[in-house]
Amino acid sequence: DPGAADHDEL
Amino acid sequence: MNIFRLTGDLSHLAAIIILLLKIWKTRSCAGISGKSQLLFALVFTTRYLDLFTSFISLYNTSMKLIYVACSYATVYLIYMKFKATYDGNHDTFRVEFLVVPVGGLSFLVNHDFSPLEILWTFSIYLESVAILPQLFMISKTGEAETITTHYLFFLGLYRALYLINWIWRYYFEGFFDLIAVVAGVVQTILYCDFFYLYVTKVLKGKKLSLPA
């Protein structure tokens, strides 16, 4: 999903 | 993971630890906005709910747990253990003016209309303005303890380093998250005035005090 947030970042 | 992201995270951690140690060692939370700390606890709580749904790395999980635990410990020290030293008379920023608009915006502008994603978006927006009660408090009293300014410096530096991280990721990974970037720019801009005072006063050995 290109729009989803990156939850790797804090 | 690039060097800017890593130093950003470490800068964030340094800020959190500096604040905890300052309160613990002096047995006082004078000059610290409990409202900002409550907002940061809310930021971490709503952002890291994905701890329950997905595992990314040991680093990711540990840092999230440390941030959450430290932010709750800070709130506990301010509102419970050292409540007598809490300067509530100067901590008068109306947080509902932040939480309500930010809550509305996270429903309107998000990556995906799902509960976890909306809460993540809420936390990103809220973090960008959560320091305002603290800055408002400093502007009201006209001064800040030097250790408090170190805390603010590392807290501001963290998001500035994330901005460089996002530029890096855009060029080398094709990654771009508009929500995080816009909120991160707003967050960093809010610190600019403080950065100026920090460099021109605190780093030259003077106390941070504002003209009356």
Side-chain angles (χ1 to χ4, degrees):
Chain A
D1 180 1
D6 174 8
H7 294 281
D8 176 29
E9 292 193 342
L10 301 166
Chain B
M1 174 77 79
N2 57 64
I3 190 69
F4 303 108
R5 158 76 200 282
L6 181 63
T7 46
D9 287 349
L10 294 178
S11 173
H12 198 181
L13 186 63
I16 292 168
I17 302 282
I18 286 171
L19 182 62
L20 261 181
L21 280 179
K22 171 217 146 42
I23 297 175
W24 187 255
K25 293 274 182 191
T26 61
R27 322 295 287 172
S28 162
C29 54
I32 301 300
S33 165
K35 291 185 175 179
S36 274
Q37 296 309 314
L38 272 177
L39 292 180
F40 283 124
L42 184 60
V43 163
F44 289 134
T45 307
T46 49
R47 186 174 310 170
Y48 298 156
L49 289 171
D50 61 358
L51 278 170
F52 296 106
T53 61
S54 57
F55 178 81
I56 291 155
S57 67
L58 189 59
Y59 172 84
N60 186 275
T61 301
S62 336
M63 290 297 262
K64 284 176 176 172
L65 289 175
I66 292 170
Y67 288 172
V68 171
C70 287
S71 77
Y72 277 91
T74 306
V75 166
Y76 164 76
L77 292 183
I78 295 174
Y79 285 101
M80 310 277 282
K81 193 164 176 65
F82 301 127
K83 190 182 188 356
T85 65
Y86 168 54
D87 199 3
N89 288 336
H90 287 125
D91 194 10
T92 51
F93 194 93
R94 300 278 298 271
V95 288
E96 60 270 33
F97 291 156
L98 298 179
V99 176
V100 173
V102 157
L105 189 62
S106 58
F107 269 90
L108 293 174
V109 184
N110 52 54
H111 291 307
D112 182 30
F113 201 77
S114 64
L116 269 188
E117 200 63 26
I118 290 169
L119 285 169
W120 178 88
T121 312
F122 171 78
S123 89
I124 292 286
Y125 293 152
L126 185 61
E127 183 190 348
S128 70
V129 292
I131 201 59
L132 284 176
Q134 179 65 62
L135 296 177
F136 181 70
M137 193 171 176
I138 291 174
S139 74
K140 260 193 113 177
T141 60
E143 59 178 20
E145 285 178 52
T146 300
I147 188 72
T148 306
T149 66
H150 296 327
Y151 160 72
L152 281 169
F153 173 74
F154 282 107
L155 197 61
L157 178 65
Y158 133 71
R159 222 39 170 174
L161 286 165
Y162 256 74
L163 290 184
I164 306 174
N165 155 62
W166 288 324
I167 294 170
W168 179 282
R169 293 191 67 185
Y170 177 75
Y171 277 107
F172 295 105
E173 300 169 23
F175 171 86
F176 182 68
D177 184 336
L178 188 62
I179 287 177
V181 170
V182 171
V185 168
V186 169
Q187 186 168 341
T188 306
I189 288 174
L190 292 182
Y191 286 85
C192 283
D193 187 38
F194 165 77
F195 282 146
Y196 174 77
L197 292 172
Y198 187 78
V199 171
T200 57
K201 288 199 168 182
V202 181
L203 290 184
K204 290 183 179 159
K206 288 182 253 173
K207 192 177 160 71
L208 191 144
S209 55
L210 306 173

